[in-house]
Amino acid sequence: MAAVKAKSRSGRWWLAAAVALVLLWAVTHHDSGSGSPTASASGAATQSPSTGGSGSPSPSPSATGWYTGSYDPAQFAAQVRSRSKEAGVDPQLVMAVLYNEAYKPHDPAVERAWQKLKPSAAFGIANMHEATFDETKEGRPFADRQWTQLPDDPDLAIEAEAWYLHDLATQLPSHLSGGLTKDELLALGYNTGPGNMLLFAEGVKLGPSAQSYLDELRSNWAKAGTALAS
């Protein structure tokens, strides 16, 4: 989600994944029996189910244990369609953003290990930062959920992404300048923040990082549509 140069971020994340795996091994051996979250069969730390006002666990169709060694956003087409409809945003936009954000490893164990090295890192398949998640969830059906649950729950990540795009849409002016579509601006807002999104809506030229993100979005747009149609 944070602004990153597209040409370098994939390589940086492969290096980060290698470092994180080493850290994961160390953390797993150090934390065993020390009151840390229970490890699942795949080695990913798991969180206890959160409860809502009724005291019952919050349901999720894709909770802990979803990662089986590979990831393609298309596997969550049903959740994208459902959560996009709830938030009133274009499902193709939600899916295309997921493809844009798939440049990094989304193994929950790797994400948690990397976050120990870089506490400001984003979590989940939609790469959302903690402050953004906490702001977005206010007054929403997932208000009782925690940012730390995102790596283990792709459905929650998609839900938060869809509602954040909804919130960004409420900030766009009725008249757009510069030739970018509403969905393109929302994707740029997701990547660079609402302030930059509003500047782009006024016709301000995109910087290299934002342009790379937009190029990726356009490249992934048809693929996102195909994923949703399957």
Side-chain angles (χ1 to χ4, degrees), residues 158-177:
I158 293 166
E159 185 176 19
E161 177 203 344
W163 279 108
Y164 183 47
L165 289 169
H166 167 277
D167 292 346
L168 288 170
T170 65
Q171 301 178 50
L172 281 176
S174 55
H175 177 71
L176 305 178
S177 303

mmCIF file of all heavy atoms in Angstrom, residues 158-177:
data_model
loop_
_atom_site.group_PDB
_atom_site.id
_atom_site.type_symbol
_atom_site.label_atom_id
_atom_site.label_comp_id
_atom_site.label_asym_id
_atom_site.label_seq_id
_atom_site.Cartn_x
_atom_site.Cartn_y
_atom_site.Cartn_z
ATOM 1 N N ILE A 158 -9.694 -8.274 2.441
ATOM 2 C CA ILE A 158 -10.493 -7.801 1.301
ATOM 3 C C ILE A 158 -11.601 -6.877 1.776
ATOM 4 O O ILE A 158 -11.887 -5.848 1.151
ATOM 5 C CB ILE A 158 -11.063 -9.004 0.529
ATOM 6 C CG1 ILE A 158 -9.931 -9.784 -0.132
ATOM 7 C CG2 ILE A 158 -12.076 -8.550 -0.517
ATOM 8 C CD1 ILE A 158 -10.328 -11.150 -0.633
ATOM 9 N N GLU A 159 -12.228 -7.223 2.885
ATOM 10 C CA GLU A 159 -13.281 -6.387 3.450
ATOM 11 C C GLU A 159 -12.753 -4.998 3.800
ATOM 12 O O GLU A 159 -13.367 -3.970 3.470
ATOM 13 C CB GLU A 159 -13.860 -7.065 4.690
ATOM 14 C CG GLU A 159 -15.056 -6.347 5.301
ATOM 15 C CD GLU A 159 -15.646 -7.106 6.477
ATOM 16 O OE1 GLU A 159 -14.946 -7.977 7.056
ATOM 17 O OE2 GLU A 159 -16.806 -6.834 6.831
ATOM 18 N N ALA A 160 -11.590 -4.958 4.463
ATOM 19 C CA ALA A 160 -10.996 -3.675 4.840
ATOM 20 C C ALA A 160 -10.581 -2.888 3.601
ATOM 21 O O ALA A 160 -10.771 -1.661 3.538
ATOM 22 C CB ALA A 160 -9.793 -3.911 5.750
ATOM 23 N N GLU A 161 -10.021 -3.561 2.614
ATOM 24 C CA GLU A 161 -9.634 -2.891 1.375
ATOM 25 C C GLU A 161 -10.840 -2.254 0.694
ATOM 26 O O GLU A 161 -10.795 -1.083 0.269
ATOM 27 C CB GLU A 161 -8.984 -3.885 0.409
ATOM 28 C CG GLU A 161 -8.629 -3.263 -0.947
ATOM 29 C CD GLU A 161 -8.519 -4.283 -2.068
ATOM 30 O OE1 GLU A 161 -8.410 -5.487 -1.795
ATOM 31 O OE2 GLU A 161 -8.540 -3.854 -3.249
ATOM 32 N N ALA A 162 -11.926 -3.012 0.582
ATOM 33 C CA ALA A 162 -13.121 -2.510 -0.097
ATOM 34 C C ALA A 162 -13.686 -1.275 0.598
ATOM 35 O O ALA A 162 -14.051 -0.289 -0.056
ATOM 36 C CB ALA A 162 -14.173 -3.610 -0.179
ATOM 37 N N TRP A 163 -13.741 -1.316 1.927
ATOM 38 C CA TRP A 163 -14.293 -0.171 2.648
ATOM 39 C C TRP A 163 -13.355 1.034 2.615
ATOM 40 O O TRP A 163 -13.808 2.188 2.620
ATOM 41 C CB TRP A 163 -14.616 -0.562 4.084
ATOM 42 C CG TRP A 163 -15.933 -1.267 4.194
ATOM 43 C CD1 TRP A 163 -16.147 -2.591 4.444
ATOM 44 C CD2 TRP A 163 -17.222 -0.680 4.035
ATOM 45 N NE1 TRP A 163 -17.486 -2.866 4.433
ATOM 46 C CE2 TRP A 163 -18.180 -1.706 4.194
ATOM 47 C CE3 TRP A 163 -17.681 0.606 3.771
ATOM 48 C CZ2 TRP A 163 -19.554 -1.488 4.104
ATOM 49 C CZ3 TRP A 163 -19.043 0.840 3.675
ATOM 50 C CH2 TRP A 163 -19.957 -0.199 3.846
ATOM 51 N N TYR A 164 -12.044 0.785 2.571
ATOM 52 C CA TYR A 164 -11.119 1.910 2.455
ATOM 53 C C TYR A 164 -11.265 2.572 1.085
ATOM 54 O O TYR A 164 -11.244 3.807 0.986
ATOM 55 C CB TYR A 164 -9.679 1.440 2.679
ATOM 56 C CG TYR A 164 -8.668 2.571 2.640
ATOM 57 C CD1 TYR A 164 -8.881 3.752 3.351
ATOM 58 C CD2 TYR A 164 -7.504 2.467 1.887
ATOM 59 C CE1 TYR A 164 -7.957 4.801 3.314
ATOM 60 C CE2 TYR A 164 -6.571 3.493 1.849
ATOM 61 C CZ TYR A 164 -6.807 4.652 2.558
ATOM 62 O OH TYR A 164 -5.899 5.689 2.517
ATOM 63 N N LEU A 165 -11.429 1.772 0.050
ATOM 64 C CA LEU A 165 -11.686 2.344 -1.277
ATOM 65 C C LEU A 165 -12.999 3.125 -1.275
ATOM 66 O O LEU A 165 -13.103 4.183 -1.906
ATOM 67 C CB LEU A 165 -11.720 1.225 -2.319
ATOM 68 C CG LEU A 165 -10.364 0.572 -2.639
ATOM 69 C CD1 LEU A 165 -10.565 -0.691 -3.470
ATOM 70 C CD2 LEU A 165 -9.450 1.550 -3.389
ATOM 71 N N HIS A 166 -13.979 2.617 -0.563
ATOM 72 C CA HIS A 166 -15.246 3.345 -0.412
ATOM 73 C C HIS A 166 -15.005 4.705 0.232
ATOM 74 O O HIS A 166 -15.535 5.737 -0.219
ATOM 75 C CB HIS A 166 -16.208 2.517 0.442
ATOM 76 C CG HIS A 166 -17.416 3.263 0.925
ATOM 77 N ND1 HIS A 166 -17.397 4.063 2.056
ATOM 78 C CD2 HIS A 166 -18.677 3.353 0.430
ATOM 79 C CE1 HIS A 166 -18.596 4.603 2.239
ATOM 80 N NE2 HIS A 166 -19.388 4.196 1.273
ATOM 81 N N ASP A 167 -14.215 4.725 1.295
ATOM 82 C CA ASP A 167 -13.940 5.978 2.003
ATOM 83 C C ASP A 167 -13.166 6.955 1.120
ATOM 84 O O ASP A 167 -13.411 8.173 1.161
ATOM 85 C CB ASP A 167 -13.162 5.697 3.282
ATOM 86 C CG ASP A 167 -13.984 4.950 4.320
ATOM 87 O OD1 ASP A 167 -15.223 4.880 4.158
ATOM 88 O OD2 ASP A 167 -13.393 4.425 5.278
ATOM 89 N N LEU A 168 -12.239 6.438 0.334
ATOM 90 C CA LEU A 168 -11.508 7.295 -0.593
ATOM 91 C C LEU A 168 -12.443 7.910 -1.623
ATOM 92 O O LEU A 168 -12.308 9.084 -1.993
ATOM 93 C CB LEU A 168 -10.405 6.494 -1.296
ATOM 94 C CG LEU A 168 -9.196 6.096 -0.438
ATOM 95 C CD1 LEU A 168 -8.315 5.106 -1.209
ATOM 96 C CD2 LEU A 168 -8.381 7.320 -0.031
ATOM 97 N N ALA A 169 -13.411 7.120 -2.083
ATOM 98 C CA ALA A 169 -14.347 7.602 -3.098
ATOM 99 C C ALA A 169 -15.174 8.782 -2.598
ATOM 100 O O ALA A 169 -15.533 9.676 -3.378
ATOM 101 C CB ALA A 169 -15.264 6.469 -3.546
ATOM 102 N N THR A 170 -15.475 8.795 -1.303
ATOM 103 C CA THR A 170 -16.257 9.902 -0.750
ATOM 104 C C THR A 170 -15.476 11.211 -0.737
ATOM 105 O O THR A 170 -16.063 12.281 -0.581
ATOM 106 C CB THR A 170 -16.715 9.587 0.688
ATOM 107 O OG1 THR A 170 -15.570 9.490 1.552
ATOM 108 C CG2 THR A 170 -17.495 8.281 0.735
ATOM 109 N N GLN A 171 -14.169 11.132 -0.914
ATOM 110 C CA GLN A 171 -13.333 12.331 -0.880
ATOM 111 C C GLN A 171 -13.062 12.920 -2.265
ATOM 112 O O GLN A 171 -12.554 14.036 -2.371
ATOM 113 C CB GLN A 171 -11.999 12.006 -0.198
ATOM 114 C CG GLN A 171 -12.144 11.491 1.220
ATOM 115 C CD GLN A 171 -10.808 11.136 1.852
ATOM 116 O OE1 GLN A 171 -9.851 11.927 1.831
ATOM 117 N NE2 GLN A 171 -10.721 9.947 2.416
ATOM 118 N N LEU A 172 -13.384 12.164 -3.308
ATOM 119 C CA LEU A 172 -13.119 12.650 -4.661
ATOM 120 C C LEU A 172 -14.083 13.772 -5.042
ATOM 121 O O LEU A 172 -15.270 13.715 -4.721
ATOM 122 C CB LEU A 172 -13.263 11.514 -5.670
ATOM 123 C CG LEU A 172 -12.096 10.532 -5.792
ATOM 124 C CD1 LEU A 172 -12.465 9.428 -6.779
ATOM 125 C CD2 LEU A 172 -10.828 11.249 -6.248
ATOM 126 N N PRO A 173 -13.589 14.785 -5.742
ATOM 127 C CA PRO A 173 -14.479 15.862 -6.213
ATOM 128 C C PRO A 173 -15.369 15.348 -7.347
ATOM 129 O O PRO A 173 -15.076 14.328 -7.980
ATOM 130 C CB PRO A 173 -13.496 16.927 -6.713
ATOM 131 C CG PRO A 173 -12.279 16.145 -7.102
ATOM 132 C CD PRO A 173 -12.182 15.013 -6.117
ATOM 133 N N SER A 174 -16.458 16.033 -7.585
ATOM 134 C CA SER A 174 -17.386 15.614 -8.638
ATOM 135 C C SER A 174 -16.776 15.795 -10.029
ATOM 136 O O SER A 174 -17.099 15.061 -10.964
ATOM 137 C CB SER A 174 -18.699 16.400 -8.542
ATOM 138 O OG SER A 174 -18.439 17.795 -8.580
ATOM 139 N N HIS A 175 -15.875 16.771 -10.151
ATOM 140 C CA HIS A 175 -15.225 17.009 -11.444
ATOM 141 C C HIS A 175 -13.767 16.577 -11.358
ATOM 142 O O HIS A 175 -13.024 17.008 -10.470
ATOM 143 C CB HIS A 175 -15.297 18.492 -11.826
ATOM 144 C CG HIS A 175 -14.577 18.805 -13.101
ATOM 145 N ND1 HIS A 175 -15.037 18.417 -14.334
ATOM 146 C CD2 HIS A 175 -13.398 19.472 -13.323
ATOM 147 C CE1 HIS A 175 -14.193 18.820 -15.271
ATOM 148 N NE2 HIS A 175 -13.190 19.462 -14.678
ATOM 149 N N LEU A 176 -13.368 15.704 -12.263
ATOM 150 C CA LEU A 176 -11.996 15.192 -12.275
ATOM 151 C C LEU A 176 -11.223 15.785 -13.440
ATOM 152 O O LEU A 176 -11.734 15.881 -14.550
ATOM 153 C CB LEU A 176 -12.007 13.664 -12.396
ATOM 154 C CG LEU A 176 -12.820 12.905 -11.348
ATOM 155 C CD1 LEU A 176 -12.783 11.410 -11.629
ATOM 156 C CD2 LEU A 176 -12.317 13.201 -9.938
ATOM 157 N N SER A 177 -9.982 16.184 -13.173
ATOM 158 C CA SER A 177 -9.116 16.727 -14.218
ATOM 159 C C SER A 177 -7.924 15.790 -14.411
ATOM 160 O O SER A 177 -7.583 15.008 -13.534
ATOM 161 C CB SER A 177 -8.609 18.127 -13.831
ATOM 162 O OG SER A 177 -9.693 18.998 -13.580
#
